[in-house]
Amino acid sequence: PNVTIVEPDLSIDKSAVPNQGVPLGTPIQFTLVVDHTTPESQTDAFDVIVTDILPPGLEYVQCTVQYTAGLAPDTPAADYCNPGTTTTDLIFEWGVFPLGQTSTITFTARLVNSPVTNAASVAWTSLPIDPQLSGLPFQLSTHNIYSTERWYDPLDDVDIYSVTDSVTINQQSAGGGDDDDGRTLPSLLPATGFAPGMVTRLPQQPAEKAYASTDVWLEIPRLGVTMPIVGVPLSEGDWDVSWLWRQAGWLDGTAFPGWKGNSVLTSHVVLPNGNDGPFAALGNLQWGDRVMVHAYGSVYVYEVRQNQTVSPSNTTVLQHEEDAWLTLLTCKNYNEASDTYANRIAVRAVLIDVRQDTSPSQTGNIR
């Protein structure tokens, strides 16, 4: 008989107030929202752990942890009320996090260095089972070596039970010499998906938002994808990627693909016809996977270093890099009620090699 697999899927959103123009010594309130209401989740999550490690630029203010809404952690807030001591690791645990629940946690930290980025993650398991003394999961059936509890493994194709979000205090412009002309980039990541399973009609593309053709194309072997890269203009303070079809859009204002800096490419998770887009499986990329940019007779080989789920307002993934990095963006977690996507997938890869391109041009094709 067929076997149906049901899995939990959580998200986390991290924010801070204030976050721009903040003088040193200012107390900042951080908010963590753990959400277990996404349509992708199908069952309760277990052994849930939220981890927030404060960087050296932030100093935790004792006794400020509060559970302000939703399902409170099993971890007592009083654990983080120790006047006269220094706390850097904020860890909150739930034995079970039922489907449909959310949880909101707030705390205060003082800014001691700037700019500074603070990240928080949530990890979970699929069954309420503790590991053996060896650390390995118990095998529940002698006939099936895969009949075990599953938890977060960043190198595994399936056990990706963890997501991260971050916020930057006094974030600097993404500009910086090699990759842009110093313009201020948008405060939200572009929306790169349409309603799944239905047709969305688009207006005619305005001339000022027309995409620039290039002789550059993208290859992602693990996903079996090749596609041309077009330039998406920064128009009226935003990138409008609505008219991307089977193309990757290079976001104007970030580094040109192959150059030093942070080059940001985006493509749709769902196309206007309701079918899967080129980046539908972007979340499957993992550490070590190769991503190639073919440009002007050379192949720029990038290797994945991070695959994370972030909020649309988390523009830290756009920030300038001194070396050559590639960031791939698409949408995740469609909300039918609001007709929007709640999150973005951001895959970050670093340039490891440049070699001569012996493959035929693919600028007009995609697989």
Side-chain angles (χ1 to χ4, degrees):
N2 293 330
V3 175
T4 300
I5 299 176
V6 293
E7 298 181 312
D9 188 13
L10 281 70
S11 66
I12 188 169
D13 180 83
K14 183 176 181 66
S15 60
V17 178
N19 56 46
Q20 287 294 337
V22 185
L24 296 183
T26 302
I28 301 169
Q29 184 179 72
F30 291 87
T31 301
L32 307 175
V33 179
V34 182
D35 190 342
H36 195 191
T37 64
T38 61
E40 285 77 9
S41 190
Q42 301 161 306
T43 187
D44 297 345
F46 300 91
D47 305 322
V48 175
I49 302 176
V50 167
T51 303
D52 193 319
I53 308 299
L54 297 183
L58 292 171
E59 182 181 87
Y60 172 67
V61 178
Q62 293 292 334
C63 307
T64 58
V65 165
Q66 295 186 52
Y67 305 146
T68 59
L71 184 68
D74 299 333
T75 308
D79 284 3
Y80 299 106
C81 187
N82 303 290
T85 65
T86 300
T87 300
T88 58
D89 298 1
L90 300 177
I91 299 174
F92 310 96
E93 300 183 4
W94 295 258
V96 57
F97 205 113
L99 179 63
Q101 291 283 347
T102 64
S103 181
T104 302
I105 303 168
T106 63
F107 66 88
T108 300
R110 190 174 291 107
L111 185 67
V112 296
N113 197 8
S114 176
V116 64
T117 298
N118 181 210
S121 66
V122 58
W124 62 95
T125 64
S126 60
L127 292 171
I129 306 171
D130 293 324
Q132 306 175 60
L133 293 178
S134 65
L136 297 175
F138 284 101
Q139 183 175 322
L140 302 184
S141 170
T142 58
H143 307 291
N144 182 0
I145 62 173
Y146 299 107
S147 60
T148 63
E149 178 186 24
R150 291 162 54 192
W151 55 71
Y152 177 55
D153 180 353
L155 300 182
D156 192 274
D157 288 338
V158 178
D159 299 330
I160 47 174
Y161 291 167
S162 179
V163 290
T164 302
D165 196 19
S166 62
V167 62
T168 298
I169 309 302
N170 294 339
Q171 180 175 327
Q172 297 176 331
S173 169
D178 289 309
D179 55 345
D180 61 32
D181 56 9
R183 287 173 292 174
T184 300
L185 299 184
S187 58
L188 291 175
L189 301 178
T192 55
F194 296 90
M198 62 181 296
V199 175
T200 300
R201 298 193 180 278
L202 295 175
Q204 184 175 353
Q205 187 174 10
E208 67 270 19
K209 295 184 178 181
Y211 304 146
S213 61
T214 71
D215 292 324
V216 182
W217 55 283
L218 178 70
E219 180 183 10
I220 310 177
R222 181 177 179 83
L223 304 185
V225 165
T226 62
M227 69 175 88
I229 297 174
V230 298
V232 178
L234 185 56
S235 177
E236 299 177 350
D238 200 6
W239 298 294
D240 194 340
V241 299
S242 301
W243 296 274
L244 287 178
W245 192 255
R246 296 189 175 275
Q247 305 143 320
W250 160 55
L251 301 184
D252 182 26
T254 70
F256 189 80
W259 291 11
K260 286 186 177 181
N262 182 15
S263 176
V264 183
L265 303 179
T266 186
S267 193
H268 288 308
V269 64
V270 175
L271 295 170
N273 62 7
N275 296 330
D276 284 349
F279 277 3
L282 190 67
N284 293 339
L285 291 181
Q286 59 183 308
W287 177 284
D289 282 340
R290 300 292 177 88
V291 180
M292 276 85 88
V293 171
H294 297 255
Y296 311 113
S298 296
V299 182
Y300 297 82
V301 183
Y302 296 81
E303 194 166 87
V304 172
R305 289 293 178 263
Q306 187 179 49
N307 187 333
Q308 60 179 328
T309 299
V310 301
S311 66
S313 61
N314 186 355
T315 56
T316 59
V317 297
L318 305 177
Q319 67 189 11
H320 174 70
E321 298 286 352
E322 293 299 327
D323 297 318
W325 282 77
L326 185 69
T327 299
L328 306 178
L329 290 177
T330 198
C331 285
K332 180 181 179 180
N333 294 333
Y334 177 72
N335 186 316
E336 185 175 357
S338 62
D339 191 28
T340 60
Y341 283 82
N343 300 103
R344 304 288 185 267
I345 293 175
V347 174
R348 303 259 294 142
V350 65
L351 184 68
I352 62 167
D353 189 27
V354 181
R355 56 177 182 253
Q356 184 178 1
D357 192 359
T358 58
S359 59
S361 174
Q362 298 284 329
T363 54
N365 301 309
I366 181 172
R367 288 198 298 274

